[in-house]
């Protein structure tokens, strides 16, 4: 479980960076919100997949 805790740091930081960039992008260009939202959700899903893989490996090992 310590390994999973350490493995969850990366996706946590990644998700924070993704949504920080999304908020900055929407603040600069509000008309591009729908395009940026799709990209942000895709990035969130990919980063969250890393956390799910980390917990699966924590249970296996």
């Amino acid at each position: 479980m310590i390994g999973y805790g350490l493995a969850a740091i990366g996706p946590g930081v990644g998700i924070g960076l993704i949504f920080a960039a999304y908020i900055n992008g929407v603040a600069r260009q509000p008309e591009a919100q729908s395009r940026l939202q799709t990209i942000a959700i895709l990035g969130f899903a990919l980063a969250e997949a890393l956390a799910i893989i980390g917990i699966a490996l924590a249970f296996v090992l």
Side-chain angles (χ1 to χ4, degrees):
M1 284 297 136
I2 293 173
Y4 175 66
L6 293 174
I9 292 173
V13 171
I15 291 169
L17 290 174
I18 288 167
F19 283 104
Y22 169 69
I23 291 169
N24 274 338
V26 171
R28 289 177 184 236
Q29 292 184 339
E31 67 273 3
Q33 180 181 6
S34 62
R35 183 183 300 165
L36 292 175
Q37 185 174 12
T38 303
I39 295 170
I41 290 174
L42 180 63
F44 168 75
L46 292 174
E48 194 63 32
L50 290 176
I52 293 170
I53 290 171
I55 196 167
L57 288 177
F59 282 123
V60 170
L61 300 177

